[in-house]
Amino acid sequence: MEMTKEWLKKHCKEQNQYGTPSLNDKLYLHFKGFQCIENLEEYTGLKSLFLEGNALDSLYGLEALVELKCLFLQQNCISEIEEGALDNCTELTNINMSNNTVKKISNLSACSNLHTLQLANNYLSTYESISHLRECPSINVLDLSTNRLDGEPEEFITLFESLPKLAVLYMQGNPVLNKFRHYRKNMIARIPTLTYLDDRPIFLPERRCAEAWFRGGLEAEREERALMAAEKKATEDRQFEFMRKMVERKMPQKVKKTTAEGEEDISQESEEDDDEEDDSEEEEEPEPNGLLEARKKLAQYSARPGEQEPPELTAERKQVTNGIKATWSPFITELPQDGNLAVQSEDISLDIEIINPNADDESRFEEIKNTGIDKESPSEFQVAAAAFVQGLNDLD
């Protein structure tokens, strides 16, 4: 089958791609039986080209693809990378030429951005057949598995050491591995950038042990393992201690509180933030006995007929009956003197003159010095304050 211009345009239409060749960034030409690459001059915008599963034996025909990044050529009949075939493809980052008949790596130096090179299941056999990799310092992932590589192990390790960005290496299935003593340890210790070797990743504990073994043998490796075990135990102890302190901060603590009936222990949750180191809690100051008795008196009074009792007063009534401090109520700032009383809350402050404690609620207010308070229609707070004043007067 031939790769003609007419066939390529028809194929793009069938793949729901653009009719204008230069607008396409992907081209799927796999498993079509092509024997050569041709008529791609107009496809200058290609980023990915899929050519696997054909009968290609040459890479010529890619010269116009200056923006190409990914080239998939696995399962073809390519035996070499010809000179100049990829010189214009300087943006290439990924080349897959697995399952071909490549006998020697060559002519890749122009691909300065090459990140991944896959050459598994080829005919690479000697150190010289892969030595060209020294001219590809940008390689990060290298797959040379299931080839015929054989020779001196030191040559191969030295070659891989020269690749400053090599992170993933596949070498299983090559005869040279049978000549390595402590293959995995040597590779890990001598290639510091390596993070994945053959069938599994390289984690920090394995790297530390391998580097210790490379420095001082088996005894140094044992010492390093003991050191790692101690570090792990110390980390677990710190985490346990941190959790214990955090749980203690959240647990209820006993505090002393003085009430009219005497001292009693009340469980109280700590209100400190999680970030605070000090988990101590200040004890609340007890209320004066006179004020506590006044609260009890205040709770005996109800709202005027037809008027709903303020929620604050209802809560006060319930709290006082249990002998526990209420969360809101007017409180005394000055004791009664000559019939005058100052009453204050969080939201309002009143100065009240008592002229007739036995009168109804409205006549209890001779003078309210705060502005904005309607004497004709007392607010709920005024009603509560008046009841509170009457309760204090009854105490006398």
Side-chain angles (χ1 to χ4, degrees):
M1 186 173 182
E2 294 184 4
M3 194 183 298
T4 64
K5 292 184 178 180
E6 292 76 15
W7 185 92
L8 289 170
K9 288 186 178 181
K10 180 182 176 181
H11 181 69
C12 288
K13 185 177 180 180
E14 292 174 352
Q15 296 290 324
N16 294 321
Q17 294 182 286
Y18 295 106
T20 304
S22 60
L23 297 179
N24 294 294
D25 60 354
K26 295 183 291 290
L27 198 56
Y28 300 97
L29 303 177
H30 50 295
F31 300 105
K32 301 297 182 184
F34 296 125
Q35 295 182 352
C36 62
I37 302 171
E38 56 186 344
N39 296 313
L40 294 179
E41 293 80 5
E42 297 179 355
Y43 294 83
T44 55
L46 283 181
K47 300 291 193 301
S48 300
L49 180 59
F50 297 83
L51 288 167
E52 67 268 28
N54 288 286
L56 302 174
D57 58 3
S58 173
L59 292 183
Y60 286 125
L62 301 174
E63 294 80 10
L65 309 183
V66 295
E67 296 183 14
L68 191 64
K69 290 183 177 294
C70 299
L71 180 59
F72 301 95
L73 292 162
Q74 61 269 34
Q75 299 178 26
N76 279 283
C77 304
I78 301 170
S79 59
E80 64 174 335
I81 302 174
E82 298 94 342
E83 184 177 358
L86 298 177
D87 286 357
N88 293 340
C89 302
T90 58
E91 298 298 320
L92 267 175
T93 61
N94 190 332
I95 299 177
N96 190 340
M97 295 180 64
S98 301
N99 296 287
N100 278 276
T101 60
V102 178
K103 298 179 181 179
K104 184 177 182 180
I105 301 175
S106 59
N107 299 308
L108 288 176
S109 56
C111 303
S112 57
N113 295 308
L114 188 60
H115 178 275
T116 301
L117 179 61
Q118 295 171 274
L119 287 166
N121 292 291
N122 277 280
Y123 292 173
L124 303 171
S125 58
T126 64
Y127 164 76
E128 288 74 17
S129 66
I130 65 171
S131 60
H132 179 70
L133 291 173
R134 292 181 182 273
E135 301 182 27
C136 305
S138 61
I139 288 181
N140 187 268
V141 179
L142 179 61
D143 186 359
L144 298 174
S145 59
T146 322
N147 274 275
R148 305 172 183 181
L149 293 171
D150 200 358
E152 289 297 324
E154 184 63 26
E155 292 180 335
F156 289 93
I157 293 182
T158 303
L159 172 62
F160 298 139
E161 279 183 310
S162 68
L163 302 177
K165 297 183 179 180
L166 184 62
V168 180
L169 176 63
Y170 297 94
M171 277 287 290
Q172 71 267 37
N174 286 287
V176 68
L177 298 189
N178 298 327
K179 298 180 179 180
F180 270 96
R181 291 194 62 189
H182 307 289
Y183 159 71
R184 188 171 178 88
K185 287 182 179 179
N186 271 298
M187 297 292 278
I188 294 173
R190 296 183 59 176
I191 308 175
T193 57
L194 208 58
T195 60
Y196 201 104
L197 179 61
D198 293 333
D199 58 343
R200 62 186 186 273
I202 301 169
F203 295 110
L204 182 59
E206 184 181 12
R207 174 165 292 282
R208 289 180 58 177
C209 290
E211 292 176 351
W213 171 86
F214 187 74
R215 291 192 307 266
L218 186 58
E219 186 62 31
E221 181 182 355
R222 290 173 180 168
E223 293 177 359
E224 188 67 25
R225 290 185 183 277
L227 178 60
M228 288 192 299
E231 291 174 353
K232 182 179 179 181
K233 179 67 166 55
T235 300
E236 291 175 350
D237 291 344
R238 286 196 304 270
Q239 293 173 346
F240 177 81
E241 184 66 16
F242 175 80
M243 182 62 68
R244 185 186 64 79
K245 290 182 179 180
M246 186 169 64
V247 171
E248 286 181 353
R249 285 200 298 268
K250 292 296 184 182
M251 291 179 62
Q253 298 182 3
K254 295 288 186 178
V255 297
K256 292 285 187 178
K257 180 177 179 180
T258 304
T259 64
E261 290 78 11
E263 289 189 353
E264 59 179 351
D265 288 337
I266 298 178
S267 294
Q268 181 173 338
E269 292 286 345
S270 176
E271 298 178 353
E272 295 177 337
D273 294 331
D274 291 341
D275 296 333
E276 295 179 355
E277 293 296 329
D278 185 10
D279 58 349
S280 62
E281 185 175 1
E282 296 183 358
E283 297 182 358
E284 295 185 4
E285 295 183 0
E287 295 182 344
N289 291 336
L291 182 55
L292 186 62
E293 293 296 331
R295 291 187 184 283
K296 291 183 179 180
K297 281 289 184 179
L298 173 61
Q300 296 175 6
Y301 290 87
S302 302
R304 294 185 302 173
E307 185 176 37
Q308 185 178 0
E309 184 177 72
E312 296 85 354
L313 186 56
T314 303
E316 181 73 21
R317 188 187 309 283
K318 293 179 181 179
Q319 294 285 357
V320 169
T321 55
N322 294 328
I324 301 175
K325 180 182 177 181
T327 57
W328 179 95
S329 69
F331 58 89
I332 304 172
T333 57
E334 298 178 8
L335 293 177
Q337 294 180 358
D338 301 329
N340 295 323
L341 178 67
V343 180
Q344 183 178 355
S345 77
E346 294 180 356
D347 303 319
I348 192 167
S349 177
L350 304 177
D351 288 332
I352 304 170
E353 181 179 355
I354 304 172
I355 57 174
N356 187 0
N358 297 320
D360 57 17
D361 292 334
E362 292 187 10
S363 61
R364 289 176 183 168
F365 296 88
E366 173 71 9
E367 180 180 357
I368 300 178
K369 295 182 179 180
N370 283 43
T371 59
I373 303 300
D374 187 0
K375 294 170 61 178
E376 299 296 332
S377 178
S379 66
E380 293 179 353
F381 174 76
Q382 292 176 352
V383 174
F388 182 64
V389 172
Q390 180 63 30
L392 290 175
N393 190 61
D394 290 346
L395 288 177
D396 294 340

